[in-house]
Amino acid sequence: MKAKFTQILKQRYYLLFFFSLLLQQTYAQQQITVKGRVSSTTGEAIPFANVGIKNTSNGAVTDFDGSYSIPAKPTDILVFSSQGYKSTEVSVNNQTSVNVSLTPDALSLNEVVVVGYGSQNKKDLTGAISVVKASEIQKRQITTVADGLQGLVTGVKVRGGGRPGQEANIEIRGLKNLQNTNPLYVIDGLITSANRDFNPNDIETIQVLKDASAAAIYGSRAANGVIIITTKKGKKGPLVVEVSAKSSFTSMPRYSLMGTDEFAKLNNQAYDNAGIPRQNLNMAVNTDWQDEVFENGMIQDYNVSVAGGGENSSFFMSGNYFGNDGTVVGTDFDRISFRVNSSGSKGIFSIGENLAISNSKTDEMSGNPIIDVYRLTPTIPVYDASNPGGYGYGKQGVADTFGTNPLALADFSNATNENFRIRGNVWTELKFTPWLKYRFNLGYETSFDSYNFMRKLGNWTLNQPAEQSFINQNKARSETLLYENTLTFKKAFGKHDLTVLVGQTFQKDSYNQIYGTKRNLIINPSTGQYFDVLDLGDLPEVGGFKNEAALTSYLGRLEYNYDNRYLFNAVIRRDGSSKFSDENKWGNFPSVSAGWRLSNEPFFKVDAIKDLKFRASYGELGSGNIDPYQYQGFVNKNGAIVLGNDQVLYPSGTQVRLANSQLRWEKLKQTNLGIDLGLLNNDLRFTGDYFIARTEDVLFGFPILNTTGNDGGNPISNAATVENKGFELELAYSKKINSFSFNASVNFTKLNNKLVSLGNGQNESIQGNTITRAGNAVGMWYVLQTDGLFQSTAEVQNYKNADGKVIMPNAQPGDIRFKDVNGDGEITNEDKDIVGSPWPEFEMGLNAGAEYKGFDFSMNWIASHGATVYDGFRSVVDRFDDNSNYRTGIHPWTPENPNTDFPRIVKGTTLNSRGDSDRFLENGDFIRLKYIGFGYNIPQSVLAKSGITRARLTLSAQNVITISKYKGLDPEFSNSNIFERGVDNGAFPNLQTYSFGVEFSF
């Protein structure tokens, strides 16, 4: 018994010894304190990030500097997470310091999306809404927000250019009408514009509302889509100062043009073939007009912001300077802007404001030097003292040309456009209960516009009539006042989640302008410069006008979510506009949408699929995008009439434009079907949408004869019906592996537009070389068709119609053979036919990026396929019937050189130079590296003693690689005329841009 007891004691001793070691081990593990910093891939601290120990409830939260401290075991796994970022796990492994960089999660389903007068979680969306990361836009060197969206969003087409201050054209889901295609911008709740005086560095989030159900809350103004921008706000914590500076160098693409020797050879040949005496060309001159007019440009972009906040208030302030010295002589753009956003709360009451002030000034481009550099010949000198003003622009019999000397034009014709704008809003909110709140929003915007044009003495083109010096000044002010009242009910009842919004808005817009002109300006004898004030001239002219419009609206929205499986959304908006007569003033714009999250159904057991949602919607949007007073007649009161036996002259008034009192709302009806799919823990995401949009009662002014009595512009009517359909696909993947993370996405957009009917008893409308005909797309190419070259006189005589009539009896060997489409035996306008479309069959965007420790890389490619475009450059330099420069390497047809596709060159005849043929139509396909950039975040260990919390260096380039067969300057050109969308008539090209930037914060 004693032995047994002793044995038990020994066992207990060993057991106690074992537990003692175990407790010591546990105690030792509990003594490890892990510290570190959580930051974004750009090095910016992430406050309030969660740091937890996996499979436990233990955790910590980072402070404002992103720092944390947490007790942990050496064998624990730390889990780092934050709203809008992908979670990551790191094993402790006895480390006492663990720094983590979180990758932004653009595909986060819990991301909050602004949808107009409210917000929703991304996972609950039933409409077609795209979210764009502000960082993707801000990394590019852009002037406007639209420039930065290119290639990032499906269904969004952007066409811009490199002229200083130039604003891009943007279309969301293609053609919706026959006038303006730009979307509605909403910035911090203010209906406004994100034009060149808006600072893109202030952007926090961007949402693009693409379908009718998503945009219906904005009713009559949303037919072209909506872009919602939220600017940066302050956060709780100590003061944060951020500074960024970016310098960019830009260069203009060049034409391949002839020098004097090559030009003279072909110019003489064209005159000889026409039997006309040659010009007395000045062979001693060899001007490269591109070298004289184009220059390297420079962009400077400096931004400073200060942000902070306390328990109940926050603020954000920023200042920006943006300067662009253009690549064309005499062009530049400058912008200075300031912003203050602040908010505060006490109890159930909150108040805040967003205020932006900007001043922008543009030295506008005079004429079109993009065309003039090839209209002018190399035998013309830049300067010629024998001409008024001293510039060269050709001489009769020596250098006959229609070209304009761009340097002379920039010197003698100066135009500047300056705009001072104030815009912002003040809002207040009363949160009566956690589920009921009232919000009042007062928005205000005003701009003071100043346009100055001075014409100095001097000529810039041949045969220019004499003109006095004069100055014209326009002063204008626009003003927008917006009132909005909304009441929001949001509450969950078990598995039911219900949100109801009702509201009322009122907006008033006014614009007034005064202008004056004086001639024979005085020159300052001390400086030789003209006085640029209106009181120093004679022959005064003055004028002015004023426009006003108002819009009042009532709106409502119902959002219902059952168990995160069944989603429903309904919107109704009623708008009344002063632009329409009383009987047609009001329009109703409803929409409904629904979603089914199949992946949340109990029976759905596919582990690989994290999220699967089907969406469907139908909505109606309106547009009253016309000028005020269109339904009223315009009267010219400056007329005079002679009456009576004594033939007395009396003042009179007469209506100069026909009025249409029956004008009504344009109405867009759109159906959308969509799918959202998340695979591999949502690392792989797919989104697809198919839509059909039909716009009825399209507002447009088609030309009518002056014999109708109309003499004040084309009267507007509800004429056409336009249909637009297509589909959008986006596939994105992102992954983080230890210190390396990468992401890639590809988007694909296919759109087809069709004119269903033209209205007003018309079937087609011809503009330039295009035709808009019912049943076809808008602006189809309508030209003569070429059919090779005649190689002999016998070929000319044998080219007959079915009746044996020689079709082109005056042609000679080497001339272009045109197709006799109607078979009448002659080439006339009746032989024109539809030969192609200016609209691409599809467009694509490819975005990719990677980060490793402090280094990051990103790029953006865009592509367009299927469009046929008109090369205005070739329509001039390849025609030879007048005097312009020519493309290098041309080998025209001669008896000694018959194996060519370039016709015989002849001065003074349009036989081989007709601009209304398919000769100058080209394949508009292109692939372009729109952006490529590299960044480096300086390690915290280097910055520790400097007081700087984040420092970053960037190097990037834009438009550096373009793959295209297009012979013009830029296949990505812009033309705002919807009917001539594919015509490149001297469009300012996109520029190669190389940028270096520095960012730091403290």
Side-chain angles (χ1 to χ4, degrees), residues 116-150:
Y117 304 102
S119 61
Q120 290 180 274
N121 286 336
K122 191 174 183 180
K123 64 182 177 64
D124 297 333
L125 296 178
T126 54
I129 300 177
S130 293
V131 180
V132 183
K133 291 191 294 184
S135 59
E136 290 297 320
I137 291 179
Q138 292 158 355
K139 67 174 60 171
R140 305 185 188 189
Q141 187 63 82
I142 59 174
T143 302
T144 64
V145 175
D147 295 311
L149 289 174
Q150 191 167 31

mmCIF file of all heavy atoms in Angstrom, residues 116-150:
data_model
loop_
_atom_site.group_PDB
_atom_site.id
_atom_site.type_symbol
_atom_site.label_atom_id
_atom_site.label_comp_id
_atom_site.label_asym_id
_atom_site.label_seq_id
_atom_site.Cartn_x
_atom_site.Cartn_y
_atom_site.Cartn_z
ATOM 1 N N GLY A 116 -27.462 58.032 -55.505
ATOM 2 C CA GLY A 116 -28.336 59.191 -55.693
ATOM 3 C C GLY A 116 -29.311 59.325 -54.547
ATOM 4 O O GLY A 116 -30.179 58.468 -54.371
ATOM 5 N N TYR A 117 -29.168 60.393 -53.760
ATOM 6 C CA TYR A 117 -30.013 60.636 -52.590
ATOM 7 C C TYR A 117 -29.931 59.482 -51.585
ATOM 8 O O TYR A 117 -30.863 59.236 -50.835
ATOM 9 C CB TYR A 117 -31.473 60.849 -52.996
ATOM 10 C CG TYR A 117 -31.666 61.950 -53.996
ATOM 11 C CD1 TYR A 117 -31.864 61.663 -55.336
ATOM 12 C CD2 TYR A 117 -31.643 63.286 -53.602
ATOM 13 C CE1 TYR A 117 -32.032 62.673 -56.266
ATOM 14 C CE2 TYR A 117 -31.804 64.306 -54.523
ATOM 15 C CZ TYR A 117 -32.006 63.992 -55.853
ATOM 16 O OH TYR A 117 -32.169 64.997 -56.782
ATOM 17 N N GLY A 118 -28.816 58.767 -51.594
ATOM 18 C CA GLY A 118 -28.648 57.659 -50.665
ATOM 19 C C GLY A 118 -27.501 56.766 -51.077
ATOM 20 O O GLY A 118 -26.702 57.103 -51.961
ATOM 21 N N SER A 119 -27.408 55.610 -50.435
ATOM 22 C CA SER A 119 -26.344 54.662 -50.731
ATOM 23 C C SER A 119 -26.843 53.243 -50.483
ATOM 24 O O SER A 119 -27.834 53.026 -49.787
ATOM 25 C CB SER A 119 -25.106 54.944 -49.868
ATOM 26 O OG SER A 119 -25.421 54.821 -48.485
ATOM 27 N N GLN A 120 -26.141 52.296 -51.089
ATOM 28 C CA GLN A 120 -26.445 50.882 -50.915
ATOM 29 C C GLN A 120 -25.142 50.100 -50.842
ATOM 30 O O GLN A 120 -24.099 50.560 -51.336
ATOM 31 C CB GLN A 120 -27.264 50.348 -52.094
ATOM 32 C CG GLN A 120 -28.693 50.837 -52.194
ATOM 33 C CD GLN A 120 -29.396 50.242 -53.402
ATOM 34 O OE1 GLN A 120 -29.315 50.753 -54.505
ATOM 35 N NE2 GLN A 120 -30.085 49.136 -53.196
ATOM 36 N N ASN A 121 -25.205 48.912 -50.248
ATOM 37 C CA ASN A 121 -24.074 48.006 -50.355
ATOM 38 C C ASN A 121 -23.994 47.483 -51.783
ATOM 39 O O ASN A 121 -25.014 47.240 -52.433
ATOM 40 C CB ASN A 121 -24.212 46.833 -49.380
ATOM 41 C CG ASN A 121 -23.943 47.246 -47.949
ATOM 42 O OD1 ASN A 121 -23.254 48.232 -47.687
ATOM 43 N ND2 ASN A 121 -24.515 46.505 -47.008
ATOM 44 N N LYS A 122 -22.790 47.298 -52.260
ATOM 45 C CA LYS A 122 -22.608 46.849 -53.632
ATOM 46 C C LYS A 122 -23.328 45.532 -53.888
ATOM 47 O O LYS A 122 -23.867 45.292 -54.970
ATOM 48 C CB LYS A 122 -21.119 46.717 -53.942
ATOM 49 C CG LYS A 122 -20.803 46.506 -55.408
ATOM 50 C CD LYS A 122 -19.306 46.544 -55.653
ATOM 51 C CE LYS A 122 -19.003 46.393 -57.131
ATOM 52 N NZ LYS A 122 -17.547 46.428 -57.400
ATOM 53 N N LYS A 123 -23.373 44.676 -52.877
ATOM 54 C CA LYS A 123 -23.992 43.371 -53.048
ATOM 55 C C LYS A 123 -25.507 43.460 -53.248
ATOM 56 O O LYS A 123 -26.130 42.532 -53.749
ATOM 57 C CB LYS A 123 -23.696 42.489 -51.834
ATOM 58 C CG LYS A 123 -24.282 42.976 -50.522
ATOM 59 C CD LYS A 123 -23.897 42.076 -49.379
ATOM 60 C CE LYS A 123 -24.423 42.592 -48.043
ATOM 61 N NZ LYS A 123 -25.878 42.606 -47.981
ATOM 62 N N ASP A 124 -26.098 44.614 -52.881
ATOM 63 C CA ASP A 124 -27.546 44.759 -52.974
ATOM 64 C C ASP A 124 -28.006 45.481 -54.235
ATOM 65 O O ASP A 124 -29.199 45.725 -54.416
ATOM 66 C CB ASP A 124 -28.074 45.519 -51.750
ATOM 67 C CG ASP A 124 -27.832 44.756 -50.455
ATOM 68 O OD1 ASP A 124 -27.763 43.519 -50.515
ATOM 69 O OD2 ASP A 124 -27.686 45.401 -49.401
ATOM 70 N N LEU A 125 -27.070 45.817 -55.122
ATOM 71 C CA LEU A 125 -27.433 46.571 -56.319
ATOM 72 C C LEU A 125 -28.229 45.702 -57.282
ATOM 73 O O LEU A 125 -27.911 44.538 -57.508
ATOM 74 C CB LEU A 125 -26.181 47.091 -57.017
ATOM 75 C CG LEU A 125 -25.335 48.107 -56.248
ATOM 76 C CD1 LEU A 125 -24.104 48.482 -57.061
ATOM 77 C CD2 LEU A 125 -26.147 49.348 -55.906
ATOM 78 N N THR A 126 -29.254 46.284 -57.869
ATOM 79 C CA THR A 126 -30.035 45.593 -58.900
ATOM 80 C C THR A 126 -29.912 46.278 -60.253
ATOM 81 O O THR A 126 -30.382 45.751 -61.257
ATOM 82 C CB THR A 126 -31.515 45.543 -58.488
ATOM 83 O OG1 THR A 126 -31.964 46.874 -58.197
ATOM 84 C CG2 THR A 126 -31.705 44.652 -57.272
ATOM 85 N N GLY A 127 -29.321 47.459 -60.289
ATOM 86 C CA GLY A 127 -29.101 48.173 -61.539
ATOM 87 C C GLY A 127 -27.677 48.009 -62.019
ATOM 88 O O GLY A 127 -26.840 47.367 -61.381
ATOM 89 N N ALA A 128 -27.403 48.595 -63.181
ATOM 90 C CA ALA A 128 -26.062 48.536 -63.762
ATOM 91 C C ALA A 128 -25.270 49.749 -63.284
ATOM 92 O O ALA A 128 -25.402 50.850 -63.808
ATOM 93 C CB ALA A 128 -26.147 48.504 -65.276
ATOM 94 N N ILE A 129 -24.449 49.530 -62.277
ATOM 95 C CA ILE A 129 -23.650 50.594 -61.674
ATOM 96 C C ILE A 129 -22.199 50.132 -61.618
ATOM 97 O O ILE A 129 -21.909 49.040 -61.137
ATOM 98 C CB ILE A 129 -24.140 50.957 -60.260
ATOM 99 C CG1 ILE A 129 -25.596 51.442 -60.310
ATOM 100 C CG2 ILE A 129 -23.251 52.015 -59.628
ATOM 101 C CD1 ILE A 129 -26.179 51.761 -58.953
ATOM 102 N N SER A 130 -21.298 50.967 -62.111
ATOM 103 C CA SER A 130 -19.870 50.658 -62.056
ATOM 104 C C SER A 130 -19.194 51.587 -61.059
ATOM 105 O O SER A 130 -19.493 52.786 -61.012
ATOM 106 C CB SER A 130 -19.221 50.832 -63.436
ATOM 107 O OG SER A 130 -19.696 49.860 -64.342
ATOM 108 N N VAL A 131 -18.311 51.024 -60.272
ATOM 109 C CA VAL A 131 -17.549 51.784 -59.288
ATOM 110 C C VAL A 131 -16.116 51.915 -59.786
ATOM 111 O O VAL A 131 -15.488 50.926 -60.163
ATOM 112 C CB VAL A 131 -17.575 51.097 -57.908
ATOM 113 C CG1 VAL A 131 -16.777 51.910 -56.901
ATOM 114 C CG2 VAL A 131 -19.009 50.909 -57.437
ATOM 115 N N VAL A 132 -15.617 53.136 -59.812
ATOM 116 C CA VAL A 132 -14.263 53.398 -60.293
ATOM 117 C C VAL A 132 -13.419 53.896 -59.126
ATOM 118 O O VAL A 132 -13.829 54.805 -58.399
ATOM 119 C CB VAL A 132 -14.260 54.457 -61.415
ATOM 120 C CG1 VAL A 132 -12.850 54.658 -61.958
ATOM 121 C CG2 VAL A 132 -15.208 54.052 -62.529
ATOM 122 N N LYS A 133 -12.268 53.289 -58.950
ATOM 123 C CA LYS A 133 -11.371 53.735 -57.897
ATOM 124 C C LYS A 133 -10.782 55.093 -58.277
ATOM 125 O O LYS A 133 -10.256 55.275 -59.374
ATOM 126 C CB LYS A 133 -10.252 52.722 -57.671
ATOM 127 C CG LYS A 133 -10.712 51.421 -57.054
ATOM 128 C CD LYS A 133 -9.539 50.566 -56.619
ATOM 129 C CE LYS A 133 -8.718 50.101 -57.802
ATOM 130 N NZ LYS A 133 -7.634 49.180 -57.374
ATOM 131 N N ALA A 134 -10.868 56.033 -57.360
ATOM 132 C CA ALA A 134 -10.345 57.368 -57.633
ATOM 133 C C ALA A 134 -8.852 57.329 -57.935
ATOM 134 O O ALA A 134 -8.356 58.106 -58.748
ATOM 135 C CB ALA A 134 -10.619 58.281 -56.436
ATOM 136 N N SER A 135 -8.134 56.413 -57.306
ATOM 137 C CA SER A 135 -6.684 56.331 -57.523
ATOM 138 C C SER A 135 -6.349 56.004 -58.968
ATOM 139 O O SER A 135 -5.312 56.418 -59.487
ATOM 140 C CB SER A 135 -6.069 55.287 -56.596
ATOM 141 O OG SER A 135 -6.647 54.011 -56.825
ATOM 142 N N GLU A 136 -7.241 55.237 -59.643
ATOM 143 C CA GLU A 136 -6.986 54.891 -61.040
ATOM 144 C C GLU A 136 -7.067 56.128 -61.933
ATOM 145 O O GLU A 136 -6.362 56.222 -62.943
ATOM 146 C CB GLU A 136 -7.997 53.845 -61.514
ATOM 147 C CG GLU A 136 -7.815 52.475 -60.898
ATOM 148 C CD GLU A 136 -6.473 51.864 -61.274
ATOM 149 O OE1 GLU A 136 -6.060 52.013 -62.439
ATOM 150 O OE2 GLU A 136 -5.830 51.268 -60.399
ATOM 151 N N ILE A 137 -7.917 57.055 -61.571
ATOM 152 C CA ILE A 137 -8.035 58.296 -62.345
ATOM 153 C C ILE A 137 -6.918 59.264 -61.988
ATOM 154 O O ILE A 137 -6.303 59.887 -62.856
ATOM 155 C CB ILE A 137 -9.409 58.931 -62.095
ATOM 156 C CG1 ILE A 137 -10.507 58.074 -62.727
ATOM 157 C CG2 ILE A 137 -9.473 60.349 -62.654
ATOM 158 C CD1 ILE A 137 -11.888 58.604 -62.507
ATOM 159 N N GLN A 138 -6.617 59.370 -60.705
ATOM 160 C CA GLN A 138 -5.666 60.369 -60.250
ATOM 161 C C GLN A 138 -4.228 60.042 -60.616
ATOM 162 O O GLN A 138 -3.382 60.938 -60.647
ATOM 163 C CB GLN A 138 -5.816 60.548 -58.734
ATOM 164 C CG GLN A 138 -7.133 61.196 -58.349
ATOM 165 C CD GLN A 138 -7.554 60.921 -56.920
ATOM 166 O OE1 GLN A 138 -6.902 60.160 -56.199
ATOM 167 N NE2 GLN A 138 -8.661 61.532 -56.492
ATOM 168 N N LYS A 139 -3.940 58.782 -60.926
ATOM 169 C CA LYS A 139 -2.573 58.454 -61.323
ATOM 170 C C LYS A 139 -2.246 58.961 -62.724
ATOM 171 O O LYS A 139 -1.082 59.154 -63.057
ATOM 172 C CB LYS A 139 -2.349 56.943 -61.250
ATOM 173 C CG LYS A 139 -3.135 56.152 -62.268
ATOM 174 C CD LYS A 139 -2.768 54.662 -62.262
ATOM 175 C CE LYS A 139 -3.007 53.997 -60.939
ATOM 176 N NZ LYS A 139 -2.852 52.529 -61.024
ATOM 177 N N ARG A 140 -3.269 59.202 -63.541
ATOM 178 C CA ARG A 140 -3.035 59.707 -64.891
ATOM 179 C C ARG A 140 -2.906 61.227 -64.883
ATOM 180 O O ARG A 140 -3.383 61.899 -63.982
ATOM 181 C CB ARG A 140 -4.197 59.309 -65.808
ATOM 182 C CG ARG A 140 -4.497 57.835 -65.837
ATOM 183 C CD ARG A 140 -5.578 57.537 -66.858
ATOM 184 N NE ARG A 140 -6.029 56.148 -66.800
ATOM 185 C CZ ARG A 140 -6.840 55.589 -67.684
ATOM 186 N NH1 ARG A 140 -7.288 56.303 -68.703
ATOM 187 N NH2 ARG A 140 -7.211 54.330 -67.571
ATOM 188 N N GLN A 141 -2.251 61.749 -65.905
ATOM 189 C CA GLN A 141 -2.183 63.193 -66.069
ATOM 190 C C GLN A 141 -3.359 63.627 -66.935
ATOM 191 O O GLN A 141 -3.363 63.439 -68.148
ATOM 192 C CB GLN A 141 -0.870 63.587 -66.738
ATOM 193 C CG GLN A 141 -0.647 65.092 -66.798
ATOM 194 C CD GLN A 141 -0.535 65.721 -65.420
ATOM 195 O OE1 GLN A 141 0.516 65.693 -64.796
ATOM 196 N NE2 GLN A 141 -1.629 66.274 -64.913
ATOM 197 N N ILE A 142 -4.381 64.163 -66.297
ATOM 198 C CA ILE A 142 -5.631 64.495 -66.994
ATOM 199 C C ILE A 142 -6.045 65.917 -66.664
ATOM 200 O O ILE A 142 -5.616 66.497 -65.667
ATOM 201 C CB ILE A 142 -6.763 63.519 -66.613
ATOM 202 C CG1 ILE A 142 -7.002 63.561 -65.089
ATOM 203 C CG2 ILE A 142 -6.451 62.109 -67.086
ATOM 204 C CD1 ILE A 142 -8.192 62.749 -64.629
ATOM 205 N N THR A 143 -6.908 66.464 -67.525
ATOM 206 C CA THR A 143 -7.478 67.781 -67.285
ATOM 207 C C THR A 143 -8.862 67.658 -66.665
ATOM 208 O O THR A 143 -9.226 68.424 -65.780
ATOM 209 C CB THR A 143 -7.567 68.579 -68.592
ATOM 210 O OG1 THR A 143 -6.261 68.685 -69.163
ATOM 211 C CG2 THR A 143 -8.113 69.972 -68.349
ATOM 212 N N THR A 144 -9.655 66.694 -67.138
ATOM 213 C CA THR A 144 -11.010 66.514 -66.634
ATOM 214 C C THR A 144 -11.210 65.069 -66.179
ATOM 215 O O THR A 144 -10.445 64.176 -66.535
ATOM 216 C CB THR A 144 -12.056 66.853 -67.710
ATOM 217 O OG1 THR A 144 -11.920 65.931 -68.798
ATOM 218 C CG2 THR A 144 -11.869 68.266 -68.230
ATOM 219 N N VAL A 145 -12.276 64.851 -65.421
ATOM 220 C CA VAL A 145 -12.607 63.522 -64.924
ATOM 221 C C VAL A 145 -12.846 62.548 -66.067
ATOM 222 O O VAL A 145 -12.413 61.394 -66.030
ATOM 223 C CB VAL A 145 -13.847 63.585 -64.008
ATOM 224 C CG1 VAL A 145 -14.275 62.188 -63.574
ATOM 225 C CG2 VAL A 145 -13.569 64.458 -62.803
ATOM 226 N N ALA A 146 -13.534 63.010 -67.100
ATOM 227 C CA ALA A 146 -13.860 62.128 -68.224
ATOM 228 C C ALA A 146 -12.614 61.529 -68.846
ATOM 229 O O ALA A 146 -12.604 60.355 -69.229
ATOM 230 C CB ALA A 146 -14.656 62.908 -69.277
ATOM 231 N N ASP A 147 -11.534 62.308 -68.957
ATOM 232 C CA ASP A 147 -10.292 61.792 -69.530
ATOM 233 C C ASP A 147 -9.816 60.552 -68.787
ATOM 234 O O ASP A 147 -9.282 59.624 -69.383
ATOM 235 C CB ASP A 147 -9.193 62.856 -69.478
ATOM 236 C CG ASP A 147 -9.512 64.057 -70.347
ATOM 237 O OD1 ASP A 147 -9.868 63.857 -71.512
ATOM 238 O OD2 ASP A 147 -9.401 65.187 -69.847
ATOM 239 N N GLY A 148 -9.985 60.555 -67.471
ATOM 240 C CA GLY A 148 -9.453 59.469 -66.666
ATOM 241 C C GLY A 148 -10.294 58.217 -66.673
ATOM 242 O O GLY A 148 -9.848 57.173 -66.197
ATOM 243 N N LEU A 149 -11.527 58.268 -67.197
ATOM 244 C CA LEU A 149 -12.409 57.100 -67.185
ATOM 245 C C LEU A 149 -12.154 56.150 -68.347
ATOM 246 O O LEU A 149 -12.672 55.035 -68.356
ATOM 247 C CB LEU A 149 -13.868 57.548 -67.228
ATOM 248 C CG LEU A 149 -14.419 58.208 -65.962
ATOM 249 C CD1 LEU A 149 -15.823 58.737 -66.210
ATOM 250 C CD2 LEU A 149 -14.420 57.229 -64.799
ATOM 251 N N GLN A 150 -11.383 56.582 -69.324
ATOM 252 C CA GLN A 150 -11.241 55.793 -70.541
ATOM 253 C C GLN A 150 -10.628 54.428 -70.253
ATOM 254 O O GLN A 150 -9.595 54.290 -69.624
ATOM 255 C CB GLN A 150 -10.375 56.531 -71.553
ATOM 256 C CG GLN A 150 -10.402 55.916 -72.931
ATOM 257 C CD GLN A 150 -9.806 56.838 -73.957
ATOM 258 O OE1 GLN A 150 -8.922 57.613 -73.652
ATOM 259 N NE2 GLN A 150 -10.287 56.770 -75.182
#
